[in-house]
Amino acid sequence: MVQRTALGDADCSIAQALDIVGDWWTLLIVRDAARGVHRFEDFQRELGLSRKVLAERLKLLGEAGVLARVPYMERPLRHEYRLTPRGRGLLPVLVALQDWGDTWILGEGEMTATTGRSSREAERVHALRGARLPELRLPDRFGEARDPVADTPFTVLYCFPGAYARAESYPPGWAGIPGAKGCTLESCTYRDQLAEFTAAGATVHGVSTQRPDEQQEFAEAEGLRFPLFSDADLELVTALRLPTFRAAGVSRIKRLTLVVDRERTVREVFYPIRDIEASVRAALAAVRRDRPEPR
């Protein structure tokens, strides 16, 4: 049985939160639920913990309103576990922990929007090849919630730290953060080669953690003819454990590109990106290489 700890500080939100998620298994369950794991057996396989311990943690998270039990089979009755709005409110906590680990445990402690080619962070991102992107909806630049994966043979999801219509909108010191510069160049390069991606059976989508209104202003200024999606709630970041850094109080996705097929499987990953124009050419080559043969 899970022992709830009476931390004795009723006025401290940190203490009260730790009473629910202070056990490390509970946060790992939330992490995996955000990645698309929902059923008891799948949690057990991913985490490798005993059925008894897993059942206790799931019960605790259910009682705390972090997870909801949702029936998926009637005979016999079976449930799966889905994050509630309260549970999704923990996603920034997970991202902050990951960012801290990437910076201070796997990295050298400096703020950076990129990584080394042989880093453990790069290995984690490249391991996404073959992974499936869970079903989710992100607001586009007009605020409409949509699937970031298109119904075309491929979707090129290029993730970028942030792009603004006005120079004064960039966070202070932006140009000095390794890997942060180049978002406008990247978006405009995809804009200029959009017809080639379309001919190859690929839809281009940009993703950042900016607000939709910021994305709309930028898209209109640069004449972008493809959607930009806002991951301000960090759902995509958490689902795929994408690397982030913080600037001006906002978690921002490090620059990377994913090629995803119609079945939501990640077919190709480009990270780190040092040469932006070369990365766009590489993404185009990837979809041309893997596009289905015409019947």
Side-chain angles (χ1 to χ4, degrees):
M1 180 177 178
V2 179
Q3 296 296 322
R4 300 290 295 275
T5 303
L7 294 176
D9 194 342
D11 296 325
C12 177
S13 297
I14 296 174
Q16 297 305 308
L18 287 174
D19 199 31
I20 297 172
V21 297
D23 175 271
W24 72 312
W25 286 121
T26 57
L27 277 180
L28 291 178
I29 289 170
V30 173
R31 178 202 67 181
D32 284 359
R35 292 172 51 223
V37 178
H38 301 301
R39 299 181 182 177
F40 189 98
E41 293 76 12
D42 295 332
F43 279 116
Q44 188 177 29
R45 182 179 64 252
E46 291 290 325
L47 296 171
L49 73 170
S50 72
R51 295 181 68 87
K52 179 177 182 294
V53 172
L54 176 58
E56 290 173 347
R57 268 52 177 195
L58 290 172
K59 180 181 178 183
L60 169 64
L61 290 170
E63 291 174 346
V66 173
L67 293 177
R69 294 175 77 235
V70 180
Y72 71 90
M73 182 185 298
E74 292 185 0
R75 297 182 180 178
L77 182 61
R78 294 286 186 270
H79 293 87
E80 59 185 18
Y81 299 85
R82 297 276 178 170
L83 288 173
T84 64
R86 178 177 289 191
R88 288 192 294 274
L90 284 168
L91 299 188
V93 177
L94 294 176
V95 171
L97 283 171
Q98 177 178 282
D99 189 20
W100 183 84
D102 285 344
T103 301
W104 294 99
I105 299 176
L106 303 185
E108 302 298 328
E110 76 280 1
M111 181 190 293
T112 177
T114 185
T115 191
R117 295 190 183 279
S118 60
S119 70
R120 291 167 64 186
E121 179 181 294
E123 290 179 8
R124 182 181 80 231
V125 176
H126 282 277
L128 289 172
R129 290 190 186 95
R132 187 176 185 278
L133 178 61
E135 302 282 345
L136 51 80
R137 295 288 185 273
L138 300 179
D140 63 16
R141 67 179 190 255
F142 303 107
E144 179 183 352
R146 298 171 51 190
D147 190 341
V149 178
D151 188 24
T152 52
F154 299 102
T155 302
V156 176
L157 287 176
Y158 76 95
C159 302
F160 59 97
Y164 299 87
R166 293 167 291 176
E168 61 269 22
S169 298
Y170 284 90
W174 185 260
I177 302 172
K181 289 181 61 179
C183 301
T184 300
L185 171 62
E186 186 173 28
S187 294
C188 291
T189 304
Y190 275 108
R191 177 199 63 195
D192 295 343
Q193 297 189 33
L194 184 60
E196 296 174 71
F197 280 95
T198 302
T203 298
V204 174
H205 289 162
V207 183
S208 75
T209 59
Q210 295 171 264
R211 301 190 313 267
D213 61 294
E214 294 174 328
Q215 293 180 335
Q216 182 179 6
E217 186 179 20
F218 170 72
E220 291 177 351
E222 300 299 338
L224 302 188
R225 293 171 287 120
F226 53 81
L228 298 181
F229 286 89
S230 171
D231 194 28
D233 291 334
L234 305 176
E235 292 191 52
L236 178 66
V237 166
T238 312
L240 296 180
R241 296 181 59 208
L242 301 181
T244 61
F245 69 103
R246 285 189 68 81
V250 176
S251 293
R252 301 173 186 274
I253 311 175
K254 295 186 180 182
R255 190 183 317 283
L256 60 93
T257 301
L258 306 173
V259 178
V260 184
D261 66 21
R262 184 184 273 122
E263 287 70 41
R264 314 185 72 82
T265 300
V266 178
R267 300 287 292 272
E268 189 56 271
V269 177
F270 299 97
Y271 181 70
I273 292 175
R274 302 292 175 81
D275 185 326
I276 289 173
E277 293 173 306
S279 76
V280 177
R281 292 194 297 270
L284 180 59
V287 297
R288 283 174 169 169
R289 179 192 66 216
D290 294 338
R291 65 183 169 184
E293 293 294 330
R295 295 180 180 180

